[in-house]
């Protein structure tokens, strides 16, 4: 009886179960709407994804006809499934990725089949025992050698998928030939099916609404420059805004400053992948020369180093110790003008790449140098701001020294017993000011690890450093941005020289100062849009 009463749900448990059921029911009600919103958002962010989905569906329908139509099925038989598998594996988002995987798959299959035929020709002229030994040795040597080749950097970068297909096809044909007599005929049919599948994929990628990796890389470089320009200008304006320093910001909204430079910091792998796929693409534009896609990768590396300074500049807005607004306003005008000129220069660089022309010779205008001169003059006119007050801080310094002294005494209890009465009393006097605070803090949180950074913050603020020192860090980073701007300009000019950009003419101006949403989103495909190199 007692056991039954113990298993009876209490009213509290019943309420909890009811609440959990209500939450689950509410989630199920919202599921269709959330699913539709996700489908709509993915297509809206990049309409090319919808086009790619239709291309894959059409390609699968075409190769399925090899199975569905009776005359075609009688000709190819069960091997038609290899054409379907090839379309699923090879047809990728961009034309360059499809060409890379398709040619790798075709070349790997052709080489593996040719070598397997040679092995089979040698093995058939010997006895059964020697044939088995020879096939086993060939599988071991070829498999080990091909796998080792995958570690070569050039092979790993360009032909890794082809080597995997080579190993798979070679082993299937060679090992199967020991038990099956007509394996060569089957290999021929499978090769034809793979060739048909690759041909359909290439036609779909190159002729029906082609998506070029090179164009994505080109547009993403433009948008990265514009994102950095917006981040710098917004960062400086936010630093000198009139909003309260202690006012909490809405965490649900994405920081536009962070959004601007995030794409730059995360672009290394996507730039390298797009450049590699672009090198496989045909020369589909009026440019008949080989386009220097690797130069875009070098420019991306320079932009990432430039972006690190922007990250540090953004970090000045979120530091614990801030310069008061009354001090910042003294330097507001030259800093805002300096940021505006840097932003204008980055926009000009972005526009020059977009239009494939050299940038203006006057990209670094006199206004930039004047803003630097005015900022330097403002610093020289306010020397006392950075020297700090001359007030006596013995009491506040004693607080910091007492915290360190108490930790030292706790770690050296045996040595503390030998100290005189005067020393112990002096330490007690120094720590008395912190005693009440520590007791109140310990009531709220018993975790001693939380006390240490708080005590450190008190010790730092008790020193009363100059209030303008945090601004000095911000200003030095802003000047560093100007210094690194020269490196970006040099890299863009080198790109224009290697890529044969047209010369700048006086009529060329910055046409579009803001990057279009569709172009920026199209220029930065999501991770699932970029094909993988995994073996299939």
């Amino acid at each position: 009886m007692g056991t039954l009463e113990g298993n009876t749900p209490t009213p509290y448990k019943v309420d909890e179960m009811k609440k959990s059921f209500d939450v689950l029911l509410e989630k199920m009600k919202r599921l269709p709407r959330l699913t539709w919103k996700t489908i709509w958002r993915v297509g809206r962010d990049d309409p090319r994804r919808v086009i790619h989905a239709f291309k894959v569906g059409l390609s699968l329908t075409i190769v399925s006809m090899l199975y569905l139509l009776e005359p075609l099925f009688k000709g190819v038989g069960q091997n038609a499934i290899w054409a379907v598998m090839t379309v699923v594996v090879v047809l990728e988002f961009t034309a360059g990725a499809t060409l890379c995987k398709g040619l790798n798959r075709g070349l790997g299959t052709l080489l593996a089949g040719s070598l397997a035929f040679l092995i089979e020709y040698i093995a058939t002229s010997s006895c059964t025992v020697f044939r088995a030994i020879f096939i086993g040795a060939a599988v071991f040597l070829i498999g080990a050698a091909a796998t080792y080749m995958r570690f070569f950097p050039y092979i790993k970068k360009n032909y890794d998928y082809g080597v995997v297909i080579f190993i798979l096809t070679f082993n299937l044909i060679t090992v199967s030939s020991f038990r099956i007599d007509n394996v060569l005929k089957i290999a021929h049919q499978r090769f034809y099916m793979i060739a048909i599948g690759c041909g359909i994929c290439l036609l779909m990628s190159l002729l029906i609404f082609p998506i070029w990796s090179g164009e994505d890389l080109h547009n993403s470089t433009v948008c990265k420059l514009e994102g950095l320009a917006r981040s710098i200008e917004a960062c400086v304006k936010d630093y000198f805004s009139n909003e309260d320093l202690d006012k909490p910001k809405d965490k649900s909204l994405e920081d536009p400053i962070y959004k601007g430079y995030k794409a730059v910091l995360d672009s290394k792998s996507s730039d390298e992948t797009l450049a590699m796929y672009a090198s496989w693409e045909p020369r589909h534009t009026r440019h008949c020369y080989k386009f220097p896609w690797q130069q875009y990768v070098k420019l991306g590396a320079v932009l990432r180093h430039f972006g690190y300074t922007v990250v540090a500049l953004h970090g000045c807005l979120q530091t614990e110790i801030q310069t008061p607004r009354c001090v910042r306003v003294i330097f507001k005008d030259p800093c805002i003008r300096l940021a505006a000129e840097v932003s204008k220069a980055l926009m000009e660089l972005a526009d020059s790449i977009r239009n494939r022309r050299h940038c203006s010779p006057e990209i670094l205008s006199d206004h930039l140098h004047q803003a630097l001169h005015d900022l330097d003059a403002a610093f020289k006119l306010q020397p006392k701001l950075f020297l700090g007050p001359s007030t006596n801080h013995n009491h506040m310094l004693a607080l910091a020294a007492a915290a360190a002294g108490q930790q030292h005494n706790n770690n050296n209890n045996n040595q503390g017993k030998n100290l005189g009465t005067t020393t112990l009393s002096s330490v007690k006097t120094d720590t008395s000011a912190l005693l009440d605070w520590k007791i109140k803090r310990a009531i709220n949180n018993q975790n001693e690890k939380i006390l240490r950074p708080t005590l450190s913050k008190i010790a730092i603020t008790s020193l009363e450093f100059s209030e303008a020192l945090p601004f000095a860090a911000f200003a030095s980073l802003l000047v560093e941005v100007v210094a690194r701007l020269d490196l970006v300009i040099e890299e863009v000019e080198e790109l224009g020289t290697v890529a044969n950009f047209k010369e700048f003419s006086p009529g060329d101006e910055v046409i579009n100062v803001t990057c279009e949403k569709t172009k920026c989103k199209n220029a930065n495909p999501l991770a699932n849009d970029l094909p993988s190199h995994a073996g299939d």
Side-chain angles (χ1 to χ4, degrees):
M1 190 69 176
T3 305
L4 293 175
E5 291 178 355
N7 294 332
T8 302
T10 62
Y12 175 76
K13 291 183 178 179
V14 172
D15 292 340
E16 288 294 324
M17 293 174 61
K18 185 178 180 180
K19 289 181 180 179
S20 301
F21 180 76
D22 292 340
V23 172
L24 180 61
L25 187 62
E26 185 65 24
K27 289 182 178 179
M28 294 298 294
K29 290 181 179 179
R30 293 200 308 262
L31 182 61
R33 183 168 58 89
L34 292 176
T35 303
W36 170 249
K37 287 178 65 177
T38 302
I39 295 173
W40 179 261
R41 186 182 69 252
V42 170
R44 181 192 59 192
D45 290 345
D46 191 349
R48 300 180 306 171
R49 296 170 184 164
V50 180
I51 297 175
H52 177 68
F54 278 104
K55 287 164 63 175
V56 173
L58 180 60
S59 301
L60 290 174
T61 303
I62 293 175
V63 295
S64 297
M65 294 300 171
L66 298 174
Y67 249 87
L68 300 177
L69 299 179
E70 190 67 22
L72 296 177
F73 180 76
K74 289 181 179 180
V76 297
Q78 297 293 334
N79 291 309
I81 196 64
W82 287 87
V84 178
M85 292 173 57
T86 301
V87 170
V88 174
V89 172
V90 171
L91 189 54
E92 293 288 352
F93 185 70
T94 63
T98 303
L99 279 166
C100 178
K101 296 196 74 173
L103 296 180
N104 267 274
R105 189 176 183 88
L107 185 61
T109 303
L110 181 61
L111 292 178
S114 302
L115 187 59
F117 293 160
L118 178 62
I119 298 297
E120 175 66 15
Y121 177 78
I122 298 175
T124 51
S125 60
S126 58
C127 62
T128 305
V129 177
F130 178 79
R131 182 184 179 189
I133 296 174
F134 181 76
I135 290 177
V139 168
F140 171 77
L141 292 176
I142 299 300
T147 303
Y148 187 75
M149 288 179 61
R150 295 183 63 193
F151 294 103
F152 295 176
Y154 183 77
I155 299 294
K156 183 73 175 178
K157 180 180 179 182
N158 295 280
Y159 302 103
D160 185 68
Y161 180 72
V163 175
V164 172
I165 296 300
F166 171 83
I167 297 174
L168 175 64
T169 306
F170 176 79
N171 280 272
L172 286 176
I173 297 176
T174 304
V175 177
S176 299
S177 64
F178 187 78
R179 298 291 182 183
I180 302 176
D181 295 333
N182 60 344
V183 67
L184 298 182
K185 180 180 179 181
I186 296 175
H188 275 98
Q189 291 177 345
R190 290 183 178 179
F191 177 76
Y192 294 148
M193 291 300 100
I194 292 174
I196 291 174
C198 288
I200 293 174
C201 292
L202 295 180
L203 290 175
M204 285 291 175
S205 295
L206 299 176
L207 300 181
I208 301 179
F209 298 104
I211 302 172
W212 306 107
S213 299
E215 290 297 323
D216 280 352
L217 180 59
H218 180 86
N219 293 331
S220 68
T221 304
V222 173
C223 290
K224 283 186 290 186
L225 283 165
E226 293 177 334
L228 287 172
R230 289 191 297 268
S231 292
I232 293 172
E233 196 164 11
C235 184
V236 175
K237 286 183 179 179
D238 193 9
Y239 190 79
F240 292 100
S241 65
N242 295 325
E243 295 182 2
D244 187 6
L245 293 175
D246 299 328
K247 182 181 178 181
K249 295 185 178 181
D250 189 3
K251 299 296 183 181
S252 62
L253 299 177
E254 186 176 5
D255 191 348
I257 303 174
Y258 172 74
K259 186 179 179 181
Y261 62 72
K262 179 179 180 295
V264 179
L265 302 182
D266 299 340
S267 64
K268 184 176 186 298
S269 60
S270 62
D271 285 355
E272 293 177 350
T273 303
L274 289 173
M276 190 265 288
Y277 290 147
S279 64
W280 287 83
E281 292 177 350
R283 300 165 190 177
H284 54 277
T285 62
R286 60 185 177 83
H287 306 286
C288 297
Y289 49 85
K290 184 177 180 181
F291 213 72
W293 300 117
Q294 289 301 322
Q295 199 68 33
Y296 282 88
V297 178
K298 292 178 60 179
L299 177 57
V302 174
L303 290 179
R304 279 191 298 275
H305 284 86
F306 185 86
Y308 298 149
T309 309
V310 182
V311 174
L313 197 69
H314 187 204
C316 293
L317 275 68
Q318 303 167 340
T319 54
E320 294 291 337
I321 303 173
Q322 293 283 348
T323 301
R325 300 292 182 189
C326 59
V327 178
R328 299 186 192 187
V329 73
I330 302 174
F331 309 94
K332 178 179 179 180
D333 182 64
C335 287
I336 289 182
R337 286 192 287 116
L338 189 63
E341 291 300 323
V342 173
S343 178
K344 180 180 177 182
L346 290 173
M347 286 292 186
E348 163 62 20
L349 292 175
D351 190 68
S352 67
I353 295 178
R354 178 190 291 112
N355 298 318
R356 289 184 170 86
R357 63 165 175 80
H358 289 278
C359 59
S360 171
E362 299 179 355
I363 186 171
L364 296 179
S365 64
D366 295 335
H367 299 290
L368 178 65
H369 299 288
Q370 184 63 39
L372 281 172
H373 177 75
D374 293 345
L375 180 61
D376 181 63
F379 273 105
K380 292 179 179 179
L381 290 175
Q382 304 293 336
K384 293 183 179 180
L385 284 176
F386 304 94
L387 298 179
S390 58
T391 315
N392 188 6
H393 308 298
N394 291 336
H395 176 68
M396 301 303 292
L397 288 172
L399 298 181
Q406 184 180 8
Q407 182 180 3
H408 177 74
N409 290 333
N410 290 337
N411 296 333
N412 301 279
N413 290 328
N414 295 331
Q415 297 179 3
K417 294 179 181 179
N418 298 327
L419 295 175
T421 308
T422 306
T423 305
L424 290 173
S425 61
S426 63
V427 173
K428 184 177 180 181
T429 303
D430 292 336
T431 57
S432 60
L434 290 175
L435 184 58
D436 293 338
W437 181 89
K438 291 175 65 177
I439 293 174
K440 293 180 181 179
R441 184 69 175 175
I443 293 174
N444 295 330
N445 196 332
Q446 298 296 329
N447 191 357
E448 188 178 356
K449 293 182 179 180
I450 297 181
L451 297 178
R452 294 175 184 172
T454 310
L455 287 173
S456 300
K457 186 178 177 181
I458 287 181
I460 292 172
T461 55
S462 68
L463 297 178
E464 294 190 9
F465 284 116
S466 170
E467 293 178 332
L469 285 182
F471 172 75
F474 179 84
S476 65
L477 287 171
L478 188 58
V479 175
E480 179 67 18
V481 166
V482 178
R484 295 197 178 192
L485 180 62
D486 289 336
L487 300 177
V488 178
I489 294 174
E490 291 177 2
E491 197 64 36
V492 172
E493 280 297 304
E494 184 177 354
L495 171 63
T497 302
V498 177
N500 294 330
F501 284 175
K502 62 182 180 181
E503 294 297 330
F504 175 83
S505 60
D508 294 332
E509 297 177 354
V510 178
I511 300 173
N512 191 7
V513 296
T514 57
C515 186
E516 297 178 8
K517 286 186 177 180
T518 55
K519 284 188 177 180
C520 284
K521 290 172 181 176
N522 294 349
N524 294 280
L526 298 177
N528 56 359
D529 291 336
L530 294 177
S532 61
H533 292 282
D536 299 290

